[in-house]
Amino acid sequence: MSPRRRFCPSVLLALTLAALVGGGTRTEAQVTQTGDAFTLAAAGYLQFDLRAFPGWDVTPGEGRVSRDTVEVRRARIGVEGRWRRASFEVSLDAQDTDGKFVKDAYLQLRLSPRLQMRAGQFKVPGTRDYDGSARNLELLERTPLTTSLGVGRDIGARIDARLGRVRYDIGLFAGDGVGRDDRAGITLAGRVVIDLPSSLELGGSVSRAKTKSTDTDPANGSSFLSTSGYRFADGVYVQGMRLRTGVDLEWAPGRWRLIAEALRLHDDRREQGLDREDLPAALGTGFSLTVVRRLRTRRDASGNSVVNALLRRPVDLAARYDYLSVDDVNGATVLDSVRPRAIDIRARATHALTLGSTWSANRWLKVLGNASLEHFTDARSAPEANRTGAYLTLGARLQVEWP
């Protein structure tokens, strides 16, 4: 196991016991200065993951599979403050996969009840999946379209506004993901969400940036990771315009939730040929469909016993289908290749079905379980040669939150 993911089991056990003992109570470290309406609150969460890759001829945690069999996935802690119309947030995570110790560090100013401005480091407007907190995931990992094609956190400024049923964010950033090998230059990004009747939301996102490659550096295009974290396509050299366009919807009737999302990444490859000629633009496409059902809890459970208290806690069942592909804008030729300056990028894709459940034992403790089955369209890029399908990944997570 890499040093970044080492953890202390005694610390995890202590936090778990504290969560169980805490039950439904909620405590919050808060300082309030009533005269100036100043508030300060601390919060955080720890995610401890177990994974199994039965039948895989690969080494987890390195090389082609990014996830370890045992790891602390996130160890997030932060502080939020508010004074009059101003607020701020600073959050840290020593376990973050992209090496950013500082996650969020921004100042926000409320200009009116429907308009606010934010500046600092935070999430670039992007997919619906990425817009939500990692502490609220129904499944262990975000969708492959988010992790492979989407934006990340970066330094910039953003305006958030609401006009009737329409909410939108638009911002200008120094890049599209601090700490990433595929980071672009100055990025303009926006997201819009329309609230419709019958618990329906429609959303869309777009970002535009410039990329520039350097021969002595690794390829600066996006790598493609499947649901399990297996890298089935490496990045290529890109230069020119980078354009992301996405659409999504969420429908939440009663105990059901349905989320659908699609994202397209277009990367120019100007002067990336062996003789500095332009190559066909690289193209990444992703789609996901998630269905979540909250089960009825035992409201008839009586008494003060621990068992009865746990039976009253919510349980969610989730199923998600993911599709992710890489290609270029031209059709297939006999020259298709996986090289970083390929004239014809070999078309490859992955399909995955993931089933999972989430049990919230109390306000402090959450348990998740997942099972994913993956299929790859290109046998040469699959984990094992000449075997494209039936790759099973099992996972479980213990999440401890505070407050």
Side-chain angles (χ1 to χ4, degrees):
M1 187 183 302
S2 63
R4 179 180 60 81
R5 294 194 177 101
R6 289 176 184 164
F7 67 98
C8 178
S10 59
V11 173
L12 178 65
L13 178 60
L15 290 171
T16 304
L17 291 175
L20 287 171
V21 172
T25 62
R26 178 170 180 169
T27 60
E28 184 168 342
Q30 187 175 66
V31 177
T32 304
Q33 183 179 328
T34 56
D36 295 329
F38 175 72
T39 61
L40 185 66
Y45 59 95
L46 174 71
Q47 295 175 341
F48 173 69
D49 288 4
L50 300 175
R51 285 182 175 81
F53 303 87
W56 286 52
D57 188 20
V58 292
T59 302
E62 58 185 49
R64 306 296 294 190
V65 178
S66 60
R67 300 264 64 89
D68 275 328
T69 52
V70 179
E71 65 176 348
V72 175
R73 180 66 177 88
R74 294 177 179 91
R76 192 94 25 109
I77 187 169
V79 62
E80 298 178 0
R82 183 180 299 276
W83 181 68
R84 296 183 179 178
R85 292 177 176 267
S87 61
F88 69 90
E89 179 180 350
V90 177
S91 61
L92 311 174
D93 192 339
Q95 297 297 119
D96 191 38
T97 55
D98 58 14
K100 291 193 303 293
F101 178 66
V102 178
K103 300 295 293 181
D104 293 305
Y106 64 83
L107 177 67
Q108 185 166 284
L109 182 63
R110 184 168 58 89
L111 304 176
S112 75
R114 296 178 177 271
L115 180 65
Q116 57 189 17
M117 183 175 64
R118 177 182 296 186
Q121 179 171 297
F122 51 92
K123 290 182 178 181
V124 178
T127 64
R128 175 177 293 269
D129 176 50
Y130 186 61
D131 194 46
S133 171
R135 73 191 297 169
N136 298 323
L137 295 176
E138 288 93 4
L139 302 173
L140 265 65
E141 298 298 332
R142 297 189 186 276
T143 61
L145 68 87
T146 296
T147 55
S148 297
L149 308 180
V151 294
R153 286 174 166 85
D154 220 302
I155 300 169
R158 187 180 87 186
I159 291 178
D160 305 337
R162 185 180 186 105
L163 297 173
R165 292 180 175 270
V166 180
R167 293 176 284 126
Y168 65 88
D169 314 324
I170 184 168
L172 185 65
F173 298 83
D176 57 359
V178 170
R180 294 173 20 167
D181 293 335
D182 62 345
R183 186 190 187 200
I186 294 176
T187 301
L188 179 64
R191 174 168 173 77
V192 60
V193 177
I194 305 173
D195 296 324
L196 298 175
S198 303
S199 303
L200 179 64
E201 286 187 354
L202 298 180
S205 62
V206 61
S207 69
R208 185 185 178 98
K210 288 287 188 179
T211 60
K212 183 175 179 59
S213 68
T214 303
D215 291 342
T216 56
D217 292 339
N220 60 329
S222 297
S223 296
F224 289 73
L225 306 181
S226 66
T227 301
S228 62
Y230 174 75
R231 190 175 74 253
F232 67 94
D234 294 315
V236 298
Y237 283 97
V238 298
Q239 182 166 282
M241 183 189 70
R242 169 174 290 175
L243 180 64
R244 293 182 179 90
T245 51
V247 294
D248 58 78
L249 68 84
E250 180 172 342
W251 184 41
R255 294 176 178 271
W256 291 91
R257 287 177 60 221
L258 184 146
I259 306 102
E261 190 155 23
L263 185 64
R264 182 180 186 268
L265 173 65
H266 179 285
D267 260 331
D268 282 343
R269 296 198 290 162
R270 304 290 185 188
E271 301 179 353
Q272 295 308 296
L274 296 179
D275 295 321
R276 311 306 297 177
E277 74 273 19
D278 293 347
L279 297 178
L283 188 64
T285 306
F287 172 78
S288 72
L289 176 64
T290 306
V291 178
V292 181
R293 166 68 176 178
R294 171 150 292 187
L295 300 182
R296 292 185 179 274
T297 56
R298 282 191 54 182
R299 297 184 180 274
D300 59 340
S302 59
N304 296 321
S305 69
V306 174
V307 174
N308 285 337
L310 295 179
L311 289 175
R312 289 195 294 267
R313 302 304 300 170
V315 175
D316 292 332
L317 300 181
R320 189 177 78 198
Y321 167 76
D322 291 304
Y323 170 80
L324 182 66
S325 70
V326 57
D327 201 351
D328 58 52
V329 295
N330 285 0
T333 70
V334 295
L335 300 176
D336 70 328
S337 171
V338 299
R339 296 182 180 276
R341 298 190 188 277
I343 297 176
D344 176 14
I345 298 174
R346 181 182 299 162
R348 285 152 287 169
T350 178
H351 306 258
L353 177 64
T354 304
L355 303 178
S357 63
T358 302
W359 175 55
S360 300
N362 51 49
R363 292 174 185 246
W364 294 53
L365 187 64
K366 185 182 293 185
V367 181
L368 292 79
N370 280 189
S372 298
L373 200 62
E374 295 179 326
H375 175 83
F376 300 89
T377 60
D378 180 44
R380 293 167 291 185
S381 302
E384 297 180 16
N386 301 320
R387 177 188 165 197
T388 58
Y391 289 95
L392 177 65
T393 301
L394 303 176
R397 169 172 295 165
L398 178 65
Q399 179 170 302
V400 182
E401 309 179 27
W402 62 94

